[in-house]
Amino acid sequence: MNPNRRRFIGIAAASALALTSLPARRAWAAIPPVTWQGVALGADAELRIYHPDTAAAQRLIAQSLQELRRLERVFSLYREDSALSLLNRQGFLDEPPADLLRLLSDSRRLSQLTGGAFDPTVQPLWQVYSGHFAQAGAAPEGPPTAQIAHALSLVSYEAMTLDSQRIRLTRPGMGLTLNGIAQGYITDRITDLLRQGGLERALVDMGEIRGLDMRASPGEWQVGLADPLAPERILASAPIRNHALATSGGYGTAIDASGRYTHLFDPRTGSAQPRYRSVSVMAPDATTADALSTAFSHMPVSAAAPLVRTLGLRAWFVLPDGKLVQQGKPG
């Protein structure tokens, strides 16, 4: 998976249209936020920290950025020296970083929960689709069936062995991408860092958004869910105090010129055409929200419903005709 950086940033910016911050229903505290804006794993990112001491807020931002850069050296596909890139090149990684081991363990658990609809081993599918459409005069119907079938033979979260001594990909030619979960994980780690630093209030957006508000009388942050094809139109809104929200959508992440094929691959069939315009998931943590919004993109609404119910989530599905289907209860 190696789109050039400008294209990837453009993709991330387009995807971000599905998350639009709305004004709070009541006035925020008089303390103005100290903010940072930049890029995390190729996606637009932002921190808003509320602290009475501006210098202390700036120190927390500096610590957060140090943590972000550390985690990018673990998870980035666009750094040759990252732990993930090394694992993909070798097929194994000795003495893996604890964060990589933890995130792959989380990935395997979420793969099992979704019956394989989420799977970090879909990198061979990206290589087949992107390689096909990079050719001049590429057939618009996509890669040959045989190429997709071969890539699918390399896709299986069960073909990873994980322990503190070594991570191994057991099928030659396998490859991992954590683009469907790593931004959520980084959002969680930075939120934890800020909480441990004594901060009571912040909005953390490292590609996925999470609220932190530990005060006894919190304000109410609202996140708006925009129509992917008409982002000025807000379809729904939800409060995110101490919750995370992630959105996945094929819009803005097309692999081909027509926009028919996207980077959202179904690990079970090899399809690159998600069922919905977008899927948004609210969860207590951004790692779960990120992975499940990816998985639900290829699951019927009825199949997602039990997970939404048992995990205490909320989910929003924008159907191809623009209709919005909501699951889960506010609370």
Side-chain angles (χ1 to χ4, degrees):
M1 187 172 184
N2 188 29
N4 66 61
R5 183 171 178 79
R6 180 180 299 277
R7 181 170 182 271
F8 185 75
I9 291 174
I11 286 170
S15 298
L17 291 174
L19 285 176
T20 306
S21 295
L22 297 179
R25 295 178 185 267
R26 48 186 170 174
W28 286 4
I31 299 172
V34 176
T35 63
W36 167 86
Q37 292 181 322
V39 174
L41 286 181
D44 290 344
E46 182 176 359
L47 290 172
R48 295 185 192 181
I49 290 179
Y50 295 81
H51 197 294
D53 184 339
T54 300
Q58 292 287 4
R59 286 194 295 272
L60 286 170
I61 286 178
Q63 292 170 14
S64 298
L65 296 184
Q66 184 178 20
E67 177 71 350
L68 167 61
R69 302 312 171 203
R70 183 186 72 81
L71 291 171
E72 285 185 321
R73 290 193 294 272
V74 177
F75 300 135
S76 177
L77 278 173
Y78 309 104
R79 293 183 56 131
E80 294 260 337
D81 61 344
S82 75
L84 181 61
S85 293
L86 183 58
L87 172 59
N88 281 345
R89 281 198 304 273
Q90 297 182 157
F92 68 92
L93 187 65
D94 289 330
E95 298 182 355
D99 289 286
L100 182 59
L101 188 61
R102 178 179 177 180
L103 188 52
L104 288 179
S105 297
D106 286 345
S107 296
R108 186 160 61 185
R109 174 179 57 84
L110 290 162
S111 296
Q112 292 167 342
L113 277 175
T114 59
F118 175 80
D119 193 320
T121 68
V122 294
Q123 184 70 356
L125 286 169
W126 165 266
Q127 293 168 338
V128 165
Y129 277 93
S130 62
H132 173 80
F133 286 112
Q135 301 175 65
E141 64 269 18
T145 302
Q147 290 185 13
I148 295 175
H150 175 69
L152 272 176
S153 73
L154 304 175
V155 175
S156 174
Y157 67 90
E158 295 177 325
M160 299 186 299
T161 62
L162 309 175
D163 61 54
S164 60
Q165 299 303 309
R166 171 176 279 200
I167 297 171
R168 188 166 70 92
L169 308 179
T170 62
R171 299 177 186 176
M174 286 182 69
L176 301 180
T177 173
L178 296 173
N179 287 352
I181 192 170
Q183 288 168 342
Y185 182 89
I186 293 174
T187 297
D188 287 335
R189 297 289 71 76
I190 289 179
T191 302
D192 290 344
L193 182 153
L194 295 175
R195 184 190 294 110
Q196 292 164 8
L199 194 67
E200 291 190 336
R201 196 165 194 240
L203 275 173
V204 179
D205 181 356
M206 295 292 123
E208 312 302 347
I209 191 168
R210 182 169 173 177
L212 170 66
D213 196 340
M214 307 303 293
R215 300 172 308 157
S217 300
E220 187 175 284
W221 282 313
Q222 294 286 319
V223 171
L225 306 179
D227 185 333
L229 299 185
E232 70 284 353
R233 177 175 172 241
I234 302 300
L235 298 175
S237 63
I240 58 164
R241 182 200 176 200
N242 298 321
H243 278 75
L245 195 144
T247 292
S248 294
Y251 59 93
T253 60
I255 298 174
D256 64 320
S258 70
R260 182 180 176 188
Y261 297 96
T262 80
H263 77 308
L264 287 169
F265 304 107
D266 188 332
R268 302 159 301 180
T269 67
S271 170
Q273 297 174 294
R275 290 172 173 265
Y276 312 103
R277 290 189 185 181
S278 69
V279 177
S280 299
V281 174
M282 178 177 286
D285 63 273
T287 304
T288 299
D290 195 4
L292 291 184
S293 68
T294 301
F296 288 175
S297 296
H298 290 289
M299 294 172 64
V301 171
S302 58
L307 283 175
V308 171
R309 183 172 58 253
T310 58
L311 297 177
L313 310 174
R314 296 183 68 188
W316 296 260
F317 301 80
V318 183
L319 305 185
D321 63 4
K323 180 182 177 182
L324 180 68
V325 175
Q326 301 185 50
Q327 292 183 345
K329 297 180 179 179

